[in-house]
Amino acid sequence: MDFLPIFMDVRGRTCLIVGGGEVAARKVQMLLRAGAKVEVVAPELGNTMQTFNQEGKIQWIEAGFDPAHLQNPALVYAATDRQSINQQVSELAKEKNIPVNVVDTPSLCNFITPSIIDRSPVVAAISTGGASPVLARLIRSRLESMIPAAYGQFATLAAKFRDTVKEKIDPKNRRLFWEKAFQGPIAEMIFSGRTDEAEQAMNKMVETCCRADGGEPLNSGEVYLIGGGPGDPDLLTFRALRLMQQADVVVYDRLISPAVLDLTRRDADRMYVGKERDNHSVPQDQINQLLVDLAKQGKRVARLKGGDPFIFGRGGEEIELLAEHQIPFQVVPGITAASGISSYAGIPLTHRDHAQSVTFATGHLKDGSSDLNWQALAQPGQTVVFYMGLKGVETISSKLIEHGMDPKTPAALVQKGTTPDQKEYIGTLETLPQIVKESDIKPPTLTIIGSVVTLHAKLDWFQPDEQRGNEPRVF
Ligand code: SAH
């Protein structure tokens, strides 16, 4: 190790910055976050520094650097564009045993500032020993996505309970206690902003653990109803990924792509309850009951659904039964097929020149096709997106034409959107049935109807053309 990692308390202490530009301003920002008093020596200030000065956040010494400015600060940063000044600051500071950092010049530093992930009071610091700040930042951004923003609140709550837990829970159970708290329903309460509830639950957990009979098991089950997005795993939310990686059981259906499923915990049980159209492999009420049963066994259950669980996902029915049984659950939104496909196929769903509103409708018509308000769907100036519309394409097309929509209205069928098998079939309202008949188009497929479809030709990044082959178009 080239540097000793330490965290320094600079609250209320003076730190000196030599330089008034933007690089210096970034250091000031960090020092202010850590509660330091900041003195800046510079003949002139850049924009950000000027603002700090006007807001009274810094003490500006309007001058070039002079050794007399080095009055025993807690630390000093040199960030001028004159290397001779930076060098002078470094030498003087080292002589006086003042920690010094010269921005971007490791050889003149006796401390370096890491890339940080700030979830105060949790702070993670990454350093490459000055070798490559860019690499440190890349590592940081990967870790950022793994450390939920609410971890700080968690640490604050943990601090409140630390002494009580130490006093009341015997050492062999303490670790288990914290592990459960960090990963179980309490953590989830914090992550979803219910800190008061979390504190109450924590009190209850301490109480239960102290009961002579050992209390209830620490491990209570819960269900995460997770939107798995339309297929591309990159479209998962951070929360979805975190919960997928902590669940003991994963209950998923047909729309969940293998790439998304791959991101669940390796040793989790995986249960397929997929439904093919008209071939319900596990009836909905059995799925609802399964979730209840698994949670009652103390399992953390990830119920993974394609797209968004509350858009044609029957998510509402699944959590109703959980609520009746008082099983903790949370719903994680996902990118719905229409949003994903809209971006990946270059078909904006609204556009000032084309559509002022967008409607998501189900094309799963059975014989109740008249349930849909065809009159309203046929109005101009909007986009209509049909989910589950492949089988009913003929009815959709004829009903809309019958209710006055122009048969030449542009329309698209997009197969397996956002996955490597995405394929767009572009036509018009009247040619949709023919496209389905004549192609080998496969579900899941989304139908988009409206003049926004014309933008596809211009905006589709992934559309292959002769010159580029299959390379995405880069603007
Ligand atoms: N909850 C899901 C929709 C479930 S209904 C969501 O929010 O996306 C199932 C229908 O969604 C399919 O019949 C199809 O119309 C559409 N769909 C889902 N994923 C799709 C994909 N990757 N490509 C095209 N259509 C998709």
Side-chain angles (χ1 to χ4, degrees):
M1 219 168 17
D2 294 329
F3 289 85
L4 175 72
I6 54 168
F7 290 85
M8 193 168 171
D9 182 3
V10 290
R11 270 171 302 178
R13 299 181 65 194
T14 301
C15 298
L16 184 71
I17 306 273
V18 184
E22 291 307 313
V23 179
R26 283 204 289 278
K27 302 295 171 198
V28 171
Q29 223 143 16
M30 204 168 50
L31 287 169
L32 291 174
R33 263 158 66 185
K37 279 207 284 205
V38 182
E39 271 181 10
V40 176
V41 181
E44 283 163 14
L45 296 184
N47 287 344
T48 315
M49 284 287 208
Q50 273 177 29
T51 314
F52 289 152
N53 192 37
Q54 279 151 13
E55 292 171 346
K57 288 183 172 161
I58 57 169
Q59 183 82 31
W60 180 25
I61 303 166
E62 190 176 350
F65 174 72
D66 183 279
H69 294 136
L70 211 55
Q71 294 289 336
N72 207 24
L75 52 85
V76 55
Y77 277 103
T80 75
D81 47 15
R82 302 256 309 272
Q83 207 49 9
S84 58
I85 298 180
N86 291 344
Q87 176 130 14
Q88 188 192 10
V89 175
S90 168
E91 281 165 9
L92 283 167
K94 282 180 182 167
E95 255 170 45
K96 296 176 113 181
N97 277 329
I98 298 168
V100 58
N101 178 287
V102 177
V103 173
D104 280 342
T105 322
S107 60
L108 297 180
C109 298
N110 58 18
F111 80 89
I112 52 176
T113 5
S115 250
I116 59 163
I117 299 164
D118 188 359
R119 305 278 191 268
S120 289
V122 177
V123 175
I126 302 119
S127 155
T128 54
S132 170
V134 174
L135 181 61
R137 278 201 292 276
L138 284 177
I139 297 172
R140 183 192 64 183
S141 62
R142 298 195 69 166
L143 292 176
E144 282 273 7
S145 61
M146 293 164 62
I147 304 179
Y151 255 30
Q153 277 138 286
F154 199 91
T156 309
L157 186 67
K160 267 196 197 168
F161 278 84
R162 199 172 152 173
D163 290 343
T164 320
V165 170
K166 211 165 171 184
E167 186 190 319
K168 296 195 169 169
I169 298 178
D170 65 274
K172 72 176 187 335
N173 273 331
R174 237 177 262 157
R175 215 190 80 199
L176 187 65
F177 175 91
W178 285 121
E179 276 178 8
K180 295 296 171 211
F182 273 118
Q183 291 178 2
I186 294 179
E188 293 312 322
M189 286 173 199
I190 293 174
F191 292 144
S192 48
R194 295 173 286 149
T195 22
D196 290 347
E197 225 176 294
E199 191 161 344
Q200 284 163 19
M202 202 78 159
N203 270 318
K204 196 163 158 222
M205 191 161 145
V206 175
E207 247 170 57
T208 345
C209 285
C210 299
R211 288 216 323 247
D213 61 359
E216 295 161 24
L218 279 175
N219 202 357
S220 69
E222 57 183 337
V223 177
Y224 319 128
L225 181 60
I226 301 175
D232 184 343
D234 268 9
L235 296 179
L236 285 170
T237 62
F238 291 154
R239 182 177 292 184
L241 185 63
R242 179 169 56 74
L243 294 174
M244 281 160 66
Q245 292 186 343
Q246 79 177 28
D248 308 301
V249 188
V250 180
V251 179
Y252 67 102
D253 44 50
R254 187 174 51 94
L255 285 174
I256 294 300
S257 70
V260 168
L261 194 62
D262 253 4
L263 294 172
T264 55
R265 215 175 85 193
R266 291 267 162 248
D267 58 341
D269 288 337
R270 295 174 181 187
M271 303 175 83
Y272 178 71
V273 291
K275 282 179 273 184
E276 307 285 339
R277 201 182 179 286
D278 296 337
N279 172 20
H280 293 231
S281 50
V282 181
Q284 186 65 47
D285 53 353
Q286 280 183 34
I287 298 178
N288 303 352
Q289 190 59 46
L290 175 71
L291 299 180
V292 170
D293 294 345
L294 288 167
K296 283 195 168 165
Q297 292 161 22
K299 301 262 172 48
R300 290 168 299 179
V301 186
R303 170 68 176 117
L304 257 184
K305 296 181 90 77
D308 182 277
F310 281 176
I311 295 183
F312 304 124
R314 304 187 75 171
E317 297 165 45
E318 297 184 6
I319 57 175
E320 247 170 66
L321 197 66
L322 295 171
E324 273 167 34
H325 286 263
Q326 299 194 326
I327 289 165
F329 65 84
Q330 59 172 303
V331 183
V332 184
I335 290 191
T336 190
S339 289
I341 284 167
S342 155
S343 302
Y344 280 52
I347 305 177
L349 296 177
T350 66
H351 188 289
R352 278 160 58 112
D353 302 335
H354 297 271
Q356 282 66 49
S357 68
V358 53
T359 303
F360 296 169
T362 170
H364 189 128
L365 299 169
K366 298 191 190 157
D367 48 354
S369 58
S370 54
D371 286 356
L372 287 175
N373 185 345
W374 294 107
Q375 190 69 41
L377 294 175
Q379 296 307 307
Q382 63 170 334
T383 305
V384 186
V385 180
F386 281 96
Y387 285 69
M388 300 171 280
L390 195 54
K391 225 173 169 184
V393 72
E394 230 164 282
T395 315
I396 291 171
S397 168
S398 63
K399 284 277 179 193
L400 287 174
I401 294 173
E402 192 182 305
H403 285 82
M405 194 184 258
D406 181 353
K408 299 272 181 278
T409 306
L413 287 157
V414 184
Q415 159 196 296
K416 298 190 178 174
T418 80
T419 74
D421 299 325
Q422 171 171 322
K423 210 163 166 191
E424 303 92 10
Y425 299 81
I426 308 290
T428 62
L429 182 58
E430 66 182 346
T431 63
L432 280 179
Q434 194 186 335
I435 294 176
V436 174
K437 257 188 227 134
E438 289 172 5
S439 64
D440 63 344
I441 186 163
K442 299 201 176 58
T445 305
L446 201 72
T447 313
I448 306 177
I449 301 169
S451 68
V452 287
V453 170
T454 52
L455 297 165
H456 163 78
K458 205 164 148 195
L459 301 180
D460 180 15
W461 283 34
F462 296 94
Q463 194 182 40
D465 73 16
E466 275 165 23
Q467 277 150 26
R468 281 195 330 275
N470 276 325
E471 289 298 305
R473 185 188 310 180
V474 180
F475 292 102

